[in-house]
Amino acid sequence: MFAIARTFALVGVGAEPVHVEVDIGGGLPSFTIVGLPDTAVRESRERVRSALVNSGFRYPQHRVTVNLAPADLRKAGPGFDLAIAAALLAASGQIPKLVLDRYALAGELALDGAIRSVPGALAMAEGVRSLALRGVAVASADAVQAALVEGIEVVPLEHVAGLRELADGEIPPVATARIAEQDDDLPDLGDLRGQPVLRGALEIAAAGGHSLLLTGPPGGGKTMAAQRLPSLLPPLAAEEIVEVTRIAGACGENGGPRRRRPFRAPHHTVSARALVGGGRPPRPGEVTRAHRGVLFLDELGEFRRDALEALRVPIEQGVITVTRTTGSVALPCRFQLVAASNPCPCGEGEDSGECECHPAAVSRYQAKLSGALADRIDISLHVKRPNAEALAEGEVERSAAVRERVMAAREIQSERLGEGRTNAEMTPREVRRHCPLEGEARAMMEASHRKLKLSGRGWDRCVKLARTIADLGGSDGIAVEHVGQAVQARRNSEG
Ligand SMILES: Nc1ncnc2c1ncn2[C@@H]1O[C@H](COP(=O)(O)OP(=O)(O)OP(=O)(O)O)[C@@H](O)[C@H]1O
Ligand SMILES: [Mg+2]
Ligand SMILES: [Zn+2]
């Protein structure tokens, strides 16, 4: 007696198909599971047995063999329970095999037979579509997310006993998820008083997707400003919502479509692996969870050196490749970096006259700031504390108005580079093609190059920034004032 159910193993943020083969043979009662299972998968035997018995099914008193294929793919977690239970029921003639031909199944079983949520609902639903199955049965909590995929049935199952009703076609699938408008209750730039240069830097960063470093004394509003960047960014496009939701789902967040751009602010004790991802099986890190949104490193000087080093490649590539035994997995990580830091351990900064730090401690701290990431930072700004007049100021511009300008500038970039791409993402070749510098603009860039000793990368980053400033001003060409502002923004001081 034999049956095959279909399910998926989560690899990175995608789902790879897995066949659950169950064979019930003669011999003393036993349960063997093969196909690179981890401990949680091996323990499914206990959950499946109790769940079936407690739901009025028979548990076969024979030799049960479960094979999870392909054999070279590592299987982790309790998400295979439901498929194992269903194959067992079909092999022992308690539900029709037809169900297994139509639906993939994914879910963890509780001992009473209730079905629990598992990571990766959206990725699995996409897998179901590409396998041309009729649909997928998942925990109700996961169904809202899986329903983002059109053209398949997503059937919510509360309980393993529901497999009978699934066989009889009695459970209505959930409706395809609608993607509604973005809700607008993000922290708003209207809260930030004064600080015109800082506001301008946020606008430029938002417009071109540029990375931003804010340094300055405590209470200057660095954290506050960074938290307001998402409110300046355009809403996610439909495909981006799918990408962001797929990643959130793979990280175990069930629930419906993610309409908001991610804003990830990992603590400075974060390890390199937690930041960029990895492990077995490969798990997405913070950079992937920040895909299409903002990665905010607050108190940059406190981060581990190796963690910052690990960021260098993902920042440039927008994708990180994690190796595993059977090849490698690419995890998307197109995020915008914002970092904040005090200029020295005491926070006041050497130039303030109030710094009490030992000079060696200051240089160690600054080495960290300028070390790993310096040439990956587009805009670097020194933020002073706002003065009393600024704090008492009346109405300041709110995020919605700034976002209008940002979106107009992004429109130009989309036309130039392709839908959704930003100036910060331009390849060296695109920089040469789209950012020609002539006359005065070119002379200024060359002079700055000599003065600031820019690297090749520094030059390109500066030109991209000038391109964004020109786009915000609605200018086709890059003029001398755009270059001037760009050079200024790379090393700036809030006045
Ligand atoms: N420009 C400003 N307008 C209005 N409030 C401000 C401004 N700057 C700072 N504040 C107030 O000061 C508080 C502290 O600011 P914030 O935490 O952003 O400072 P910080 O520069 O990150 O300091 P630290 O270096 O200690 O992390 C804010 O929560 C806010 O209430
Ligand atoms: Mg802060
Ligand atoms: Zn100091």
Side-chain angles (χ1 to χ4, degrees):
M1 293 179 291
F2 177 78
I4 300 180
R6 271 175 289 200
T7 186
F8 296 89
L10 202 57
V11 178
V13 298
E16 293 194 12
V18 168
H19 280 187
V20 178
E21 304 167 356
V22 168
D23 181 47
I24 304 177
L28 291 176
S30 68
F31 185 102
T32 312
I33 186 159
V34 296
L36 278 192
D38 76 348
T39 314
V41 179
R42 265 188 244 116
E43 288 172 351
S44 72
R45 147 194 172 163
E46 313 304 334
R47 291 187 298 271
V48 168
R49 191 204 315 262
S50 298
L52 293 187
V53 171
N54 291 330
S55 313
F57 290 111
R58 259 181 308 110
Y59 186 83
Q61 294 304 314
H62 298 284
R63 197 167 56 83
V64 174
T65 308
V66 178
N67 179 35
L68 306 175
D72 62 350
L73 178 66
R74 210 170 276 273
K75 324 291 184 309
F80 301 93
D81 290 358
L82 180 61
I84 294 172
L88 201 65
L89 290 174
S92 57
Q94 302 180 73
I95 60 168
K97 285 187 179 161
L98 191 64
V99 180
L100 306 187
D101 298 335
R102 289 184 174 160
Y103 298 98
L105 302 133
E108 174 184 343
L109 290 180
L111 298 186
D112 65 355
I115 297 170
R116 292 184 171 143
S117 167
V118 293
L122 176 54
M124 292 183 192
E126 291 172 320
V128 166
R129 188 176 51 191
S130 58
L131 290 178
L133 294 175
R134 182 192 280 197
V136 62
V138 289
S140 313
D142 293 336
V144 248
Q145 187 174 104
L148 208 57
V149 175
E150 285 174 40
I152 60 162
E153 274 182 28
V154 176
V155 184
L157 274 192
E158 300 282 353
H159 197 275
V160 69
L163 286 172
R164 284 200 194 94
E165 297 155 54
L166 182 65
D168 298 336
E170 283 172 5
I171 311 178
V174 298
T176 304
R178 286 249 171 280
I179 296 172
E181 290 284 287
Q182 187 183 28
D183 33 356
D184 252 348
D185 53 357
L186 296 170
D188 199 282
L189 204 56
D191 307 330
L192 187 80
R193 310 270 134 177
Q195 307 286 39
V197 180
L198 174 56
R199 297 172 70 91
L202 283 170
E203 180 170 338
I204 296 168
H210 302 286
S211 52
L212 174 65
L213 169 65
L214 304 174
T215 51
K222 302 182 296 294
T223 301
M224 189 182 182
Q227 288 166 339
R228 278 152 183 78
L229 180 60
S231 69
L232 305 184
L233 299 172
L236 290 169
E239 321 80 73
E240 294 175 329
I241 291 177
V242 172
E243 283 182 288
V244 171
T245 308
R246 184 190 299 125
I247 293 167
C251 296
E253 294 174 25
N254 52 22
R258 292 288 184 284
R259 298 181 187 91
R260 276 202 188 161
R261 287 188 186 271
F263 181 84
R264 302 293 301 180
H267 189 254
H268 57 72
T269 52
V270 70
S271 69
R273 174 180 286 181
L275 199 55
V276 300
R280 282 183 180 199
R283 309 290 308 136
E286 288 293 333
V287 295
T288 296
R289 303 189 78 167
H291 182 62
R292 301 286 176 209
V294 175
L295 179 69
F296 177 38
L297 304 182
D298 205 358
E299 316 295 350
L300 184 68
E302 308 288 339
F303 276 76
R304 292 166 51 147
R305 177 120 213 165
D306 63 329
L308 297 182
E309 291 284 343
L311 273 179
R312 293 167 59 90
V313 173
I315 292 178
E316 299 249 295
Q317 314 260 299
V319 61
I320 175 146
T321 310
V322 180
T323 48
R324 57 177 180 129
T325 27
T326 52
S328 55
V329 199
L331 298 169
C333 60
R334 196 160 286 295
F335 60 89
Q336 186 170 0
L337 178 71
V338 181
S341 179
N342 296 132
C344 65
C346 84
E348 293 303 325
E350 288 170 295
D351 312 337
S352 67
E354 285 163 42
C355 174
E356 295 160 359
C357 304
H358 192 278
V362 176
S363 32
R364 248 200 325 276
Y365 199 82
Q366 290 187 342
K368 211 153 176 193
L369 297 191
S370 61
L373 296 178
D375 59 353
R376 264 80 170 166
I377 297 286
D378 295 321
I379 305 175
S380 175
L381 189 67
H382 185 79
V383 183
K384 293 214 180 106
R385 290 194 185 92
N387 56 26
E389 297 93 81
L391 289 174
E393 202 180 30
E395 268 308 286
V396 288
E397 197 173 37
R398 298 183 58 81
S399 294
V402 182
R403 191 168 61 232
E404 290 294 317
R405 296 195 293 272
V406 167
M407 285 171 68
R410 288 226 176 182
E411 189 62 36
I412 299 170
Q413 296 169 62
S414 281
E415 276 169 31
R416 179 188 300 135
L417 304 167
E419 194 57 41
R421 293 190 63 222
T422 58
N423 288 340
E425 292 167 37
M426 279 192 279
T427 60
R429 212 181 154 155
E430 285 172 323
V431 172
R432 281 194 298 280
R433 175 149 168 238
H434 298 298
C435 313
L437 292 175
E438 281 153 19
E440 274 187 283
R442 181 176 180 145
M444 171 165 239
M445 191 63 211
E446 281 166 3
S448 315
H449 180 242
R450 281 192 296 275
K451 210 166 95 200
L452 300 177
K453 301 197 178 63
L454 292 178
S455 63
R457 181 183 281 120
W459 170 286
D460 269 10
R461 286 191 175 260
C462 198
V463 173
K464 291 180 194 182
L465 204 54
R467 181 66 270 172
T468 298
I469 294 165
D471 288 341
L472 271 171
S475 162
D476 278 342
I478 299 176
V480 62
E481 67 263 27
H482 305 134
V483 173
Q485 277 188 56
V487 172
Q488 192 60 43
R490 284 187 67 82
R491 184 147 285 286
N492 217 326
S493 157
E494 175 82 20

